[in-house]
Amino acid sequence: MENEKAKEQLNTLYADTDSINEPENYKIRFMFEYSTLKIRTLKLERMLTRWENNELDFEPDSPYYILEKQLEYMRGYLHILEKRAEYENIDLTEY
């Protein structure tokens, strides 16, 4: 799977900190950033839905409106990354 290959490549890059900033590695970093943000966005969406339905098994420290605003910005950032991927010919369909 392409996603696993990207993660493996990123782990290799982080092991060699000198190579992470090389220009040819930006697509790998980009895909990792996108996939990580997408996962975190989905998790926050699920948590807020569970909160709305009184299904949380814990009490969040932050008020609902703060987390809702965070989700709004996360979605906006995802959208920006998706637009950048279009311009930079980065295939995000695996993510």
Side-chain angles (χ1 to χ4, degrees), residues 67-82:
L67 296 173
E68 190 175 43
K69 185 57 85 173
Q70 177 182 344
L71 180 59
E72 177 185 334
Y73 286 111
M74 290 170 76
R75 286 175 175 158
Y77 188 35
L78 268 177
H79 179 72
I80 289 168
L81 290 177
E82 289 164 354

PDB file of all heavy atoms in Angstrom, residues 67-82:
ATOM      1  N   LEU A  67     -13.228  23.246  21.024  1.00  0.00           N
ATOM      2  CA  LEU A  67     -12.917  22.070  20.203  1.00  0.00           C
ATOM      3  C   LEU A  67     -13.613  22.146  18.849  1.00  0.00           C
ATOM      4  O   LEU A  67     -13.067  21.724  17.829  1.00  0.00           O
ATOM      5  CB  LEU A  67     -13.299  20.792  20.945  1.00  0.00           C
ATOM      6  CG  LEU A  67     -12.503  20.551  22.236  1.00  0.00           C
ATOM      7  CD1 LEU A  67     -13.065  19.370  22.998  1.00  0.00           C
ATOM      8  CD2 LEU A  67     -11.033  20.379  21.939  1.00  0.00           C
ATOM      9  N   GLU A  68     -14.815  22.701  18.844  1.00  0.00           N
ATOM     10  CA  GLU A  68     -15.538  22.887  17.587  1.00  0.00           C
ATOM     11  C   GLU A  68     -14.780  23.868  16.678  1.00  0.00           C
ATOM     12  O   GLU A  68     -14.661  23.655  15.469  1.00  0.00           O
ATOM     13  CB  GLU A  68     -16.940  23.393  17.888  1.00  0.00           C
ATOM     14  CG  GLU A  68     -17.865  23.394  16.710  1.00  0.00           C
ATOM     15  CD  GLU A  68     -19.273  23.784  17.130  1.00  0.00           C
ATOM     16  OE1 GLU A  68     -19.450  24.728  17.935  1.00  0.00           O
ATOM     17  OE2 GLU A  68     -20.210  23.137  16.646  1.00  0.00           O
ATOM     18  N   LYS A  69     -14.245  24.931  17.264  1.00  0.00           N
ATOM     19  CA  LYS A  69     -13.464  25.914  16.502  1.00  0.00           C
ATOM     20  C   LYS A  69     -12.169  25.272  15.997  1.00  0.00           C
ATOM     21  O   LYS A  69     -11.752  25.492  14.864  1.00  0.00           O
ATOM     22  CB  LYS A  69     -13.155  27.138  17.373  1.00  0.00           C
ATOM     23  CG  LYS A  69     -12.463  28.265  16.659  1.00  0.00           C
ATOM     24  CD  LYS A  69     -13.215  28.772  15.451  1.00  0.00           C
ATOM     25  CE  LYS A  69     -14.250  29.786  15.769  1.00  0.00           C
ATOM     26  NZ  LYS A  69     -14.861  30.405  14.571  1.00  0.00           N
ATOM     27  N   GLN A  70     -11.549  24.442  16.836  1.00  0.00           N
ATOM     28  CA  GLN A  70     -10.342  23.729  16.414  1.00  0.00           C
ATOM     29  C   GLN A  70     -10.643  22.853  15.199  1.00  0.00           C
ATOM     30  O   GLN A  70      -9.888  22.837  14.229  1.00  0.00           O
ATOM     31  CB  GLN A  70      -9.806  22.871  17.557  1.00  0.00           C
ATOM     32  CG  GLN A  70      -8.587  22.047  17.168  1.00  0.00           C
ATOM     33  CD  GLN A  70      -8.102  21.166  18.308  1.00  0.00           C
ATOM     34  OE1 GLN A  70      -8.463  21.357  19.469  1.00  0.00           O
ATOM     35  NE2 GLN A  70      -7.268  20.205  17.968  1.00  0.00           N
ATOM     36  N   LEU A  71     -11.766  22.140  15.254  1.00  0.00           N
ATOM     37  CA  LEU A  71     -12.164  21.284  14.136  1.00  0.00           C
ATOM     38  C   LEU A  71     -12.368  22.112  12.869  1.00  0.00           C
ATOM     39  O   LEU A  71     -11.963  21.697  11.778  1.00  0.00           O
ATOM     40  CB  LEU A  71     -13.432  20.514  14.496  1.00  0.00           C
ATOM     41  CG  LEU A  71     -13.983  19.578  13.423  1.00  0.00           C
ATOM     42  CD1 LEU A  71     -12.961  18.515  13.036  1.00  0.00           C
ATOM     43  CD2 LEU A  71     -15.277  18.941  13.903  1.00  0.00           C
ATOM     44  N   GLU A  72     -12.960  23.269  13.000  1.00  0.00           N
ATOM     45  CA  GLU A  72     -13.173  24.151  11.851  1.00  0.00           C
ATOM     46  C   GLU A  72     -11.843  24.499  11.178  1.00  0.00           C
ATOM     47  O   GLU A  72     -11.706  24.440   9.963  1.00  0.00           O
ATOM     48  CB  GLU A  72     -13.883  25.425  12.319  1.00  0.00           C
ATOM     49  CG  GLU A  72     -14.109  26.453  11.237  1.00  0.00           C
ATOM     50  CD  GLU A  72     -14.699  27.742  11.789  1.00  0.00           C
ATOM     51  OE1 GLU A  72     -15.380  27.707  12.838  1.00  0.00           O
ATOM     52  OE2 GLU A  72     -14.467  28.802  11.163  1.00  0.00           O
ATOM     53  N   TYR A  73     -10.854  24.869  11.996  1.00  0.00           N
ATOM     54  CA  TYR A  73      -9.551  25.230  11.450  1.00  0.00           C
ATOM     55  C   TYR A  73      -8.817  24.022  10.869  1.00  0.00           C
ATOM     56  O   TYR A  73      -8.115  24.136   9.859  1.00  0.00           O
ATOM     57  CB  TYR A  73      -8.699  25.934  12.499  1.00  0.00           C
ATOM     58  CG  TYR A  73      -9.158  27.347  12.763  1.00  0.00           C
ATOM     59  CD1 TYR A  73      -9.741  27.693  13.968  1.00  0.00           C
ATOM     60  CD2 TYR A  73      -9.033  28.334  11.792  1.00  0.00           C
ATOM     61  CE1 TYR A  73     -10.169  28.982  14.207  1.00  0.00           C
ATOM     62  CE2 TYR A  73      -9.462  29.628  12.021  1.00  0.00           C
ATOM     63  CZ  TYR A  73     -10.032  29.951  13.226  1.00  0.00           C
ATOM     64  OH  TYR A  73     -10.462  31.233  13.454  1.00  0.00           O
ATOM     65  N   MET A  74      -8.976  22.882  11.510  1.00  0.00           N
ATOM     66  CA  MET A  74      -8.347  21.664  10.987  1.00  0.00           C
ATOM     67  C   MET A  74      -8.923  21.322   9.614  1.00  0.00           C
ATOM     68  O   MET A  74      -8.182  20.956   8.695  1.00  0.00           O
ATOM     69  CB  MET A  74      -8.544  20.505  11.969  1.00  0.00           C
ATOM     70  CG  MET A  74      -7.739  20.655  13.243  1.00  0.00           C
ATOM     71  SD  MET A  74      -8.190  19.455  14.525  1.00  0.00           S
ATOM     72  CE  MET A  74      -7.400  17.976  13.878  1.00  0.00           C
ATOM     73  N   ARG A  75     -10.234  21.435   9.475  1.00  0.00           N
ATOM     74  CA  ARG A  75     -10.859  21.177   8.170  1.00  0.00           C
ATOM     75  C   ARG A  75     -10.368  22.174   7.121  1.00  0.00           C
ATOM     76  O   ARG A  75     -10.130  21.799   5.971  1.00  0.00           O
ATOM     77  CB  ARG A  75     -12.378  21.262   8.286  1.00  0.00           C
ATOM     78  CG  ARG A  75     -13.002  20.092   8.989  1.00  0.00           C
ATOM     79  CD  ARG A  75     -14.478  20.306   9.166  1.00  0.00           C
ATOM     80  NE  ARG A  75     -15.144  19.152   9.727  1.00  0.00           N
ATOM     81  CZ  ARG A  75     -16.311  19.203  10.354  1.00  0.00           C
ATOM     82  NH1 ARG A  75     -16.938  20.363  10.497  1.00  0.00           N
ATOM     83  NH2 ARG A  75     -16.850  18.106  10.840  1.00  0.00           N
ATOM     84  N   GLY A  76     -10.212  23.430   7.517  1.00  0.00           N
ATOM     85  CA  GLY A  76      -9.698  24.440   6.598  1.00  0.00           C
ATOM     86  C   GLY A  76      -8.285  24.123   6.152  1.00  0.00           C
ATOM     87  O   GLY A  76      -7.943  24.264   4.974  1.00  0.00           O
ATOM     88  N   TYR A  77      -7.461  23.698   7.087  1.00  0.00           N
ATOM     89  CA  TYR A  77      -6.079  23.342   6.760  1.00  0.00           C
ATOM     90  C   TYR A  77      -6.045  22.125   5.835  1.00  0.00           C
ATOM     91  O   TYR A  77      -5.264  22.083   4.884  1.00  0.00           O
ATOM     92  CB  TYR A  77      -5.296  23.106   8.045  1.00  0.00           C
ATOM     93  CG  TYR A  77      -3.819  22.915   7.844  1.00  0.00           C
ATOM     94  CD1 TYR A  77      -3.112  23.594   6.858  1.00  0.00           C
ATOM     95  CD2 TYR A  77      -3.103  22.051   8.664  1.00  0.00           C
ATOM     96  CE1 TYR A  77      -1.756  23.421   6.690  1.00  0.00           C
ATOM     97  CE2 TYR A  77      -1.736  21.876   8.497  1.00  0.00           C
ATOM     98  CZ  TYR A  77      -1.074  22.561   7.517  1.00  0.00           C
ATOM     99  OH  TYR A  77       0.276  22.372   7.343  1.00  0.00           O
ATOM    100  N   LEU A  78      -6.906  21.143   6.097  1.00  0.00           N
ATOM    101  CA  LEU A  78      -7.004  19.980   5.199  1.00  0.00           C
ATOM    102  C   LEU A  78      -7.337  20.435   3.781  1.00  0.00           C
ATOM    103  O   LEU A  78      -6.750  19.960   2.806  1.00  0.00           O
ATOM    104  CB  LEU A  78      -8.090  19.006   5.677  1.00  0.00           C
ATOM    105  CG  LEU A  78      -7.682  17.883   6.590  1.00  0.00           C
ATOM    106  CD1 LEU A  78      -8.909  17.088   7.015  1.00  0.00           C
ATOM    107  CD2 LEU A  78      -6.656  16.985   5.963  1.00  0.00           C
ATOM    108  N   HIS A  79      -8.276  21.353   3.681  1.00  0.00           N
ATOM    109  CA  HIS A  79      -8.686  21.862   2.370  1.00  0.00           C
ATOM    110  C   HIS A  79      -7.512  22.538   1.664  1.00  0.00           C
ATOM    111  O   HIS A  79      -7.297  22.340   0.462  1.00  0.00           O
ATOM    112  CB  HIS A  79      -9.858  22.832   2.523  1.00  0.00           C
ATOM    113  CG  HIS A  79     -10.328  23.410   1.233  1.00  0.00           C
ATOM    114  ND1 HIS A  79     -11.028  22.677   0.298  1.00  0.00           N
ATOM    115  CD2 HIS A  79     -10.167  24.643   0.698  1.00  0.00           C
ATOM    116  CE1 HIS A  79     -11.277  23.441  -0.746  1.00  0.00           C
ATOM    117  NE2 HIS A  79     -10.767  24.644  -0.527  1.00  0.00           N
ATOM    118  N   ILE A  80      -6.750  23.321   2.401  1.00  0.00           N
ATOM    119  CA  ILE A  80      -5.586  23.985   1.813  1.00  0.00           C
ATOM    120  C   ILE A  80      -4.567  22.956   1.329  1.00  0.00           C
ATOM    121  O   ILE A  80      -4.018  23.079   0.227  1.00  0.00           O
ATOM    122  CB  ILE A  80      -4.953  24.964   2.828  1.00  0.00           C
ATOM    123  CG1 ILE A  80      -5.880  26.169   3.003  1.00  0.00           C
ATOM    124  CG2 ILE A  80      -3.556  25.399   2.392  1.00  0.00           C
ATOM    125  CD1 ILE A  80      -5.515  27.063   4.169  1.00  0.00           C
ATOM    126  N   LEU A  81      -4.313  21.937   2.137  1.00  0.00           N
ATOM    127  CA  LEU A  81      -3.373  20.898   1.718  1.00  0.00           C
ATOM    128  C   LEU A  81      -3.870  20.171   0.469  1.00  0.00           C
ATOM    129  O   LEU A  81      -3.082  19.835  -0.420  1.00  0.00           O
ATOM    130  CB  LEU A  81      -3.127  19.904   2.856  1.00  0.00           C
ATOM    131  CG  LEU A  81      -2.334  20.422   4.053  1.00  0.00           C
ATOM    132  CD1 LEU A  81      -2.230  19.351   5.128  1.00  0.00           C
ATOM    133  CD2 LEU A  81      -0.956  20.900   3.628  1.00  0.00           C
ATOM    134  N   GLU A  82      -5.175  19.936   0.383  1.00  0.00           N
ATOM    135  CA  GLU A  82      -5.741  19.282  -0.802  1.00  0.00           C
ATOM    136  C   GLU A  82      -5.562  20.149  -2.043  1.00  0.00           C
ATOM    137  O   GLU A  82      -5.244  19.643  -3.126  1.00  0.00           O
ATOM    138  CB  GLU A  82      -7.211  18.946  -0.556  1.00  0.00           C
ATOM    139  CG  GLU A  82      -7.385  17.816   0.442  1.00  0.00           C
ATOM    140  CD  GLU A  82      -8.790  17.696   1.014  1.00  0.00           C
ATOM    141  OE1 GLU A  82      -9.652  18.563   0.734  1.00  0.00           O
ATOM    142  OE2 GLU A  82      -9.019  16.725   1.762  1.00  0.00           O
TER     143      GLU A  82
END
